[in-house]
Amino acid sequence: PGSDTEHAGHRFKVWQAAVTAGRADARPGTILDATSEGILVQCANDALRLTQLQLPGGRRASAAEILGRLKLPVGGLLT
């Protein structure tokens, strides 16, 4: 289970996410919002709010913990 993604050379695994409304004008992979509640990423039609992630060699962590370690700017792209 889980999915891998990357931003600016930092790989991480997504363990928990929830589907939510996205923006039709945003490219898939675009970070729409990044708060302690989660990292909102545009998909093809909807968006995912990433809430539990894991950095390589680390433990599973909340979005708030990950955002304390990585800069994931709104408008950035996850690949």
Side-chain angles (χ1 to χ4, degrees):
S3 177
D4 292 326
T5 190
E6 185 175 325
H7 179 268
H10 297 283
R11 260 187 108 62
F12 52 94
K13 182 172 280 239
V14 178
W15 286 103
Q16 189 172 39
V19 177
T20 187
R23 289 188 5 216
D25 65 333
R27 176 179 171 194
T30 301
I31 299 169
L32 302 176
D33 195 20
T35 69
S36 61
E37 293 181 16
I39 301 158
L40 187 63
V41 181
Q42 179 67 36
C43 297
N45 296 313
D46 294 314
L48 283 177
R49 184 169 302 279
L50 313 180
T51 56
Q52 188 179 64
L53 307 108
Q54 183 178 11
L55 295 171
R59 62 175 178 74
R60 293 182 189 189
S62 69
E65 291 175 278
I66 296 298
L67 290 170
R69 296 180 203 156
L70 291 180
K71 290 190 177 212
L72 298 173
V74 171
L77 192 64
L78 298 183
T79 58

